[in-house]
Amino acid sequence: MADTSLGTAEQLRDPNYTPALAKAIPLGIQHVLAMFVSNVTPAIIIAGAAGFGFGSDAGAQGFPDMTYLIQMSMLFAGIATLFQTIGFGPVGARLPIVQGTSFAFIPIMIPLVAGKGVEALPALFGGVIIGGLFHTFIATFIGKIRFALPPLVTGLVVTMIGLALVKVGIQYAAGGVPAIDKPEYGSLLNWSAALVVVFVTLALKFYAKGMLAVSAVVIGIFVGYLYAMTVGMVTLEGIATSWGRAAPVAFPMPFKYGFELSFAAVVGFCLMAFVSAVETVGDVSGITKGGAGREATEEEITGATYADGVGSAVAGIFGGFPNTSFSQNVGLIAMTGVMSRHVVTIGAIFLIICGLIPKVGAVIRTIPIEVLGGGVIVMFGMVVAAGISMLSDVNWNRRNMVIFAIALSVGLGLQLDPKAVQYLPDTLRILMTSGLLPAALIAIVLNLILPEELSGEATEEVSGGMAG
């Protein structure tokens, strides 16, 4: 319920209204806390997949490249959020939209960097930049392509994103990929740290209200961090060392890792731009309905999509990952009833400040991977749940069941057994083993070309008695 002390009901529904600073500042920071862990997690996952994150030799130097990626995640989430709230020209919805690093691109990025170290980053960021520019181009006709992405397709894609990531959560909770062949992998100590996070998060989600419930994951990770300190997984000396190695202030460097064009990266990021654009359309609609009780205008949808693309392209230049609108904040706006874009601008400034102070990233990198795993299990599980929720809007006739079945079987199957396409050219192999892209492509194409009706007899022979 909205706090009437913040303003009148009419003021609270107005994106241009600014509450008193004493209340606007904590409200803005709330929006940042609701997405903080989700925003920096992709950087940690990609660093780990590439081999310069947790468990790697880079630990001796304090994980400098992972810290930089974390720093850029915070900085450009803040900058992209300013694109949305303040806007310039056609860019930005001028609504209280919080931007952050997108989970959707992780299944695309992991095969691109797997085990290749920092040398994989030029091609990765080349893909981010080109994909961001393509995303910007999509904004010019976003309204015209929505027909090709009904809930059947978008729900499948979001579900596939979650399914691709849940393995990461389990591996982190057990001790991380570098520890897989070591005795401590999967130990009770490792799992206890992850489970503390899971249980605290569940308790807050179900039994707390307001900001405690909204920030359940970040609070769960904080409690897990304290637990890790009590059992010796984190030491004060380690925290002090990490803090001392980090510079007080550092600015982003354009093309710090270079620039390289990789066909697989460009195709992967451009295809995922469609999915990200549709996700943003849904978030904009959710914000205007929940906060202002109206439908989003075409200018707002177009501006929000432009901001997604421009924010991602600019981030890629400096070593940041693709940005998208964060759905967590749709619920937060509905909860607080405050539609002010200037409140979110304050949160964006807070993020930018954090991104310019490497010591913030230095503290984040001291979080044990097992503790992070507990949070990741919850977050990525929620991605799967969100996809299933979207699929609940599908008319489950036999036609849609067959489309879903084929797309899921091929996409998930290739993800589980990447060696099945080991003889394909490298570019195709990387795209196919993501699982996500083949599933999305199959669903989109079949949905466009197959007739609307499918006879009941057509699926009886393969339904195994479960035709319904």
Side-chain angles (χ1 to χ4, degrees):
M1 178 181 288
D3 183 353
T4 53
S5 68
L6 291 168
T8 65
E10 185 178 351
Q11 286 175 325
L12 295 180
R13 287 194 297 269
D14 181 6
N16 297 313
Y17 170 69
T18 307
L21 276 181
K23 295 193 174 183
I25 291 174
L27 281 172
I29 294 174
Q30 270 190 176
H31 281 281
V32 170
L33 289 178
M35 53 74 77
F36 197 87
V37 175
S38 303
N39 181 54
V40 300
T41 297
I44 297 171
I45 291 173
I46 298 307
F52 56 83
F54 290 123
S56 69
D57 294 338
Q61 291 81 42
F63 304 111
D65 293 299
M66 184 172 75
T67 302
Y68 182 81
L69 296 183
I70 292 171
Q71 186 184 340
M72 293 304 100
S73 296
M74 293 184 288
L75 177 63
F76 285 99
I79 291 172
T81 300
L82 289 184
F83 288 165
Q84 291 285 21
T85 59
I86 298 175
F88 62 94
V91 177
R94 292 164 177 82
L95 290 173
I97 298 173
V98 179
Q99 296 285 112
T101 309
S102 174
F103 282 163
F105 293 84
I106 297 178
I108 307 299
M109 292 191 283
I110 288 176
L112 288 168
V113 303
K116 298 176 184 175
V118 178
E119 290 73 23
L121 295 184
L124 179 72
F125 290 124
V128 174
I129 294 167
I130 302 301
L133 294 175
F134 183 69
H135 198 142
T136 307
F137 172 66
I138 291 173
T140 61
F141 57 89
I142 181 64
K144 296 181 176 63
I145 65 168
R146 290 175 70 181
F147 77 94
L149 298 165
L152 173 64
V153 175
T154 54
L156 169 68
V157 168
V158 173
T159 303
M160 284 294 301
I161 291 168
L163 291 175
L165 297 174
V166 288
K167 181 180 178 182
V168 173
I170 296 298
Q171 288 175 335
Y172 275 29
V177 175
I180 285 178
D181 295 323
K182 297 178 181 177
E184 65 268 22
Y185 185 76
S187 68
L188 182 60
L189 177 64
N190 290 351
W191 271 105
S192 67
L195 291 175
V196 165
V197 179
V198 173
F199 290 143
V200 171
T201 302
L202 285 174
L204 290 173
K205 279 290 183 188
F206 283 94
Y207 300 109
K209 294 181 179 179
M211 194 57 199
L212 283 176
V214 171
S215 300
V217 174
V218 72
I219 295 172
I221 287 178
F222 179 72
V223 174
Y225 190 71
L226 295 179
Y227 169 80
M229 291 181 70
T230 64
V231 297
M233 298 174 79
V234 182
T235 64
L236 290 175
E237 181 184 358
I239 298 171
T241 300
S242 184
W243 177 273
R245 282 175 171 164
V249 179
F251 296 96
M253 295 173 57
F255 302 109
K256 175 180 171 67
Y257 297 103
F259 177 85
E260 182 182 318
L261 285 179
S262 157
F263 184 72
V266 169
V267 172
F269 280 103
C270 287
L271 289 176
M272 283 311 303
F274 279 105
V275 178
S276 183
V278 172
E279 178 189 0
T280 296
V281 171
D283 288 343
V284 174
S285 299
I287 285 171
T288 55
K289 285 178 185 176
R294 63 173 175 81
E295 293 291 335
T297 66
E298 186 151 343
E299 290 78 12
E300 288 169 338
I301 288 173
T302 301
T305 312
Y306 271 130
D308 262 12
V310 173
S312 296
V314 173
I317 292 171
F318 293 93
F321 297 124
N323 269 266
T324 190
S325 58
F326 260 47
S327 302
Q328 294 98 315
N329 292 280
V330 177
L332 186 55
I333 288 169
M335 182 189 81
T336 64
V338 180
M339 185 69 177
S340 170
R341 61 189 173 112
H342 303 304
V343 162
V344 175
T345 297
I346 291 170
I349 293 169
F350 177 78
L351 267 178
I352 290 170
I353 292 170
C354 289
L356 293 174
I357 302 174
K359 289 188 183 295
V360 176
V363 173
I364 292 172
R365 75 179 177 222
T366 65
I367 299 173
I369 195 167
E370 298 84 359
V371 172
L372 187 65
V376 166
I377 285 173
V378 176
M379 288 187 287
F380 293 164
M382 288 299 293
V383 174
V384 178
I388 293 171
S389 176
M390 294 166 75
L391 289 169
S392 67
D393 294 331
V394 176
N395 174 22
W396 285 110
N397 56 29
R398 296 178 189 278
R399 171 191 183 270
N400 289 341
M401 287 176 67
V402 169
I403 293 173
F404 181 82
I406 295 172
L408 182 70
S409 294
V410 174
L412 188 57
L414 290 174
Q415 196 179 96
L416 293 173
D417 189 9
K419 287 187 177 179
V421 288
Q422 61 179 319
Y423 295 113
L424 287 178
D426 284 350
T427 295
L428 273 178
R429 181 177 49 78
I430 290 171
L431 295 176
M432 294 293 281
T433 55
S434 73
L436 180 59
L437 290 178
L441 193 61
I442 290 169
I444 291 170
V445 172
L446 291 183
N447 183 63
L448 290 175
I449 66 173
L450 291 183
E452 286 298 318
E453 296 298 329
L454 179 64
S455 66
E457 295 79 5
T459 56
E460 293 297 340
E461 67 180 86
V462 295
S463 61
M466 295 185 287

